[in-house]
Amino acid sequence: MGLISTNTSKIDRLAELTAATEHSTGASLWREALRRLRASKMAVIGAVIIGLFVIVAIIGPWVAPYGPIEQTWRGEVFPNQGKFVGARAENWFGLDQLGRDLFSRFLVGARQTLLVGVVSMLIGLVVGAVIGAVSGAAATLGGRSGQRVDSFVMRVTDIMLALPSLLLAVSIAAVMGQSLTTVMIAVGVVQVPIFARLLRGSMLAQGRSDYVLAARSLGIRKRRIVLTQIMPNSLSPVIVQATLSLATAIIEAAALSYLGLGNPDPAVPEWGVMLSSAQRFFDNAPMMSVYPAVGIIITALGFTLLGEAMREALDPKLRG
Amino acid sequence: MSLLELDGVKVHFPVRKGVLFDRTVGHVYAVDGISLSVEAGQTYGLVGESGCGKTTLGRAVLRLVDVTDGSVVLDGTDVAKLSEKELRSFRRRLQMVFQDPLGSLNPRQNIESILSEGMAAHGIGANQEERREKIKEILAKVGLPTNALSRYPHEFSGGQRQRIGIARALVLEPDVIICDEPVSALDVSIQAQVINLLEELQESMGLTYLVIAHDLAVVRHISDVIGVMYLGSLVEEAPSDALYAEPMHPYTKALMSAVPVPDPEVEERRERILLHGDLPSPANPPAGCRFHTRCPWAQATRCATERPQLTDLGGGHKVACHFAREIADGTIVRAGDEPAASAAPADTAPADTAADAPAEIPAQATGERAETDRAEDAAPAEAKADGAEAPEAKADGAESDGAEADEAEDAAPADTAPAVAEADSAEADVVKADDAPKA
Amino acid sequence: MPLLTVDELTVTFGGRGRKDVRAVNGVSFTVDQGQVVGLVGESGCGKSVTSLALMGLLPAKGVTLGGRADFDGTDLLTLSPRRMRDMRGRDLAMIFQDPLSSLNPVVPVGVQVTEILQRHRGLKGEAARKEAAHLLDRVGIPDPNRRLKEFPHQLSGGMRQRALIAMAVACAPRLLIADEPTTALDVTIQAQILELLKELVDQEGTALLMITHDLGVVAGLCDQVNVLYAGKVVESAARRELFAHPTHPYTHGLLGSIPRLDAPRGEPLHPIRGSINDQIAWADGCAFAPRCDRYEMDCLTGTPALTEPRAAGHQARCVNPVLATTEVPA
């Protein structure tokens, strides 16, 4: 009797002590990554910036104090005489060269900027991911002929990578005319080979892993292996790149607008176009350039911070 | 008829180069003509060092790599000749346990999904409910709790992950399980758990294993038959105990002498055969016997020119060495070794001939060389007493029975062949651990 | 007076927002002049961290060191980074597990060897090159003059490890720390390297601290063996004594877990159950208790002390040690 009781008590005591050091989880890698992301200061700052930007982009036109094309203060600005109006109580950011309220244009312009960034990133992501997925799937499981397909596709993307983005944009603009669409396509096309190479490389690396070999030895169809095994594990770098791409897309779009390839319609202001038109008056009204420029920089910074934090959160080396 | 039979399996990987269009510039002879058979309910252990092609051979059996030549016959079906579609359904019968327990499990699938995927592909179990029942049964067999089902691979310890890998193979009820280094990534105490598990499962479920490993001690522990691989081919195959009792191929001898034993008494007494140099490249393997470039027993004839075939020396002990018998008899001794040290059995070789030969004198100088190629019932040898004949003249004599002694003085009947001192004192390979006992 | 006396070494990793992890939890041992001492244990026991702490190679940030490591009168743990750099290579040298990543891939082997000779021995030009060739020859690298010009990737694994050993012994250090020096190598190459280490110790009188998981390697090489578990030494004895009478249940279990080449076939293995994750804090009792078949209530009350339950000089940290020689690990 006594023996049994000491026995149970020692087992209980051990269970109690081991429970203290035990760390029970039960979450997939995605959920773990999200948990790490939430704990990261970088990610939180990035997310807050992006959140503000998105909110402004959505509600901008409604909260803007004045219409973006109302030349209410036309009579106060004389660009050829170097006379401008800076920040004041009724115009927080001052006036532009046509006497329009810069703050209102800034708020309304956020939407276009977000649109340009997101759409061009999506063009790059979707087209690039499709090309990369085809190439990667062909290379990993397509055998000898698949490898030929892969090397052909990759040579094509190499050629695309070799084209200067500016030249490409100018050519597209020459064909399609000067518009926001031109900018988005031009910026998107430049991103295509980046996404394609990234996804292919990632798939190739995953395709060599033992679990893919294991899936093949289980007798699972190749298509299914690509979809359920290789793809989900290859996506992390692409997701990170997409976030970082938003930042570069916004900057690139701004650059193209700055060169005069953007939307000429004054009714739809965009930060890049605003920067472009402000630069002519930089000597007399530097702040006119600063507002859109700072807007672009902070937004790009937000996406970069989030992207870098995601890279860390999704890094398989840090898991566990 | 054995359950799994490999006949002349070759796997050559082309080496390709080129800018736009690749051309083949050479081959890596990863597996170069391997024949072996695995009996139902038994364990065949394949042992060899890195680069010997053992992993490639394992993958070739499952046709995860293409077989260049030869056949892999499981229960009457040649896996190497199946179409892609036939192969997919046939794969259920051949399963694999991988070396890296974490790397071989998809990190984004939970255990239930990992284990049921193969079952679904082969139509085992009518629905997920049925499959889950079966999976629970297997999980219990491999010693995992049922609550493991909804968890992910990274939440388990190394040993548990390997149990999951074993369970994944077991749910398909395969005929043969190929274990590629099943324990080498695990800690010692966990290795023993997994080895015991594999043995228990074999006993209770009648499994057949092909175990591939670099660790001779592990292979010897679990195998009925062991094959030793070197540079793409089998150099020796024997029942586990026979191989340990008397390794006959020089490479096996060296390998066995290099395995550390956790016992100071044994370690101090043992004699190490140190191999010189490194493994030659499988893209450019040496001609003749693949091992002759590193073999301490290598002879001037045949070894460099003629590739030895695996021949049965009795009791299922097969060796691919031209001079296996002579080495066992002690009639050919290791370079740098004093003949007496090899302790030839007294009834076969008169040790005095050998012991008299001073080790300082290189064998070539005295011209002593004996080559015996004894058949099962060797007739008394015809000693060819022709001192003028150069040893190279022997190069074509592959099938010759009987003994040839190039020097007349030592000519003797083959069963009492004279020991030969091929002493090259410059390269002393013998290392005895007790030479320098430390205080 | 031992050459190295490690006394209650603790290494704690802790970073921002992370829970502190104590990787080494009070490790004590000594190494005498010319002695080969083994630190044995499985992954996560703290053996590699111990060696890195002794070499001053742990990152300064997020790592807290405790205890003392007295090397010939100097405490290695409190040495300034500059003085540590001077000692490393000259008085203390280390050989790592992975010979490829321990060598700089874009610098010829010769340059890497002569660098050390320049730094610590002041050799220059032709003299340094000659000495480097001599060193490579010393560790059994054939054709050393040609090898000096080659890059690490042109050497085989065994050859690289020899080159690293050559660099480690370049300045005739008094203590050589080898962290799993043969784990990445094939068994026939391992035999060559172990032979070389043995020879160096015998001829040069260098002390060797051998860190390994392989009890077979220990059995052939070490004079004194320390078995580590969960960051503490659980057993320490002379080699023969340890293998003949493993006293801590963990050591006993380890020896029962290893398939022996010379054991009769069919003899079952006696694994230790559970894994390193099944642990309790040392403060609460014996960390090994959850995996131990011999644990009792008194194993769960505070850290067990190192005692000598069997023989003088044979220490074990256990309140229920294995004492009967005939006892089979269960």
Side-chain angles (χ1 to χ4, degrees), chain A residues 35 39 41, chain C residues 14-20:
Chain A
R35 184 181 57 78
K41 251 184 229 149
Chain C
R16 354 164 244 156
R18 289 196 187 167
K19 225 168 61 181
D20 284 4

Side-chain angles (χ1 to χ4, degrees), chain B residues 49-50 187-190 192-193 196 217 220-221 223-224 241 244 260 262-265 268 275 278 431 438, chain C residues 42-43 156 186-188 190 192 195 239-240 243 257 259-263 265 267 269 271-274 291:
Chain B
E49 296 182 284
S50 54
D187 268 328
V188 176
S189 63
I190 311 296
Q193 295 175 357
N196 278 3
R220 163 155 154 80
H221 185 86
S223 307
D224 297 294
D241 285 332
Y244 174 73
D263 185 342
E265 311 279 333
E268 281 170 21
L275 294 179
D278 296 299
V431 180
K438 283 186 286 282
Chain C
E42 299 181 287
S43 51
S156 68
D186 273 325
V187 67
T188 55
Q190 163 172 295
Q192 295 174 358
E195 217 46 67
R239 169 178 58 162
R240 281 168 172 276
F243 283 94
S257 300
R260 279 177 62 156
L261 189 61
D262 58 346
R265 188 171 136 63
E267 198 163 276
L269 300 175
I272 304 170
R273 66 184 144 84
R291 303 178 68 190

Side-chain angles (χ1 to χ4, degrees), chain C residues 249-260:
Chain C
Y250 175 63
T251 318
H252 202 246
L254 267 188
L255 283 168
S257 300
I258 304 170
R260 279 177 62 156

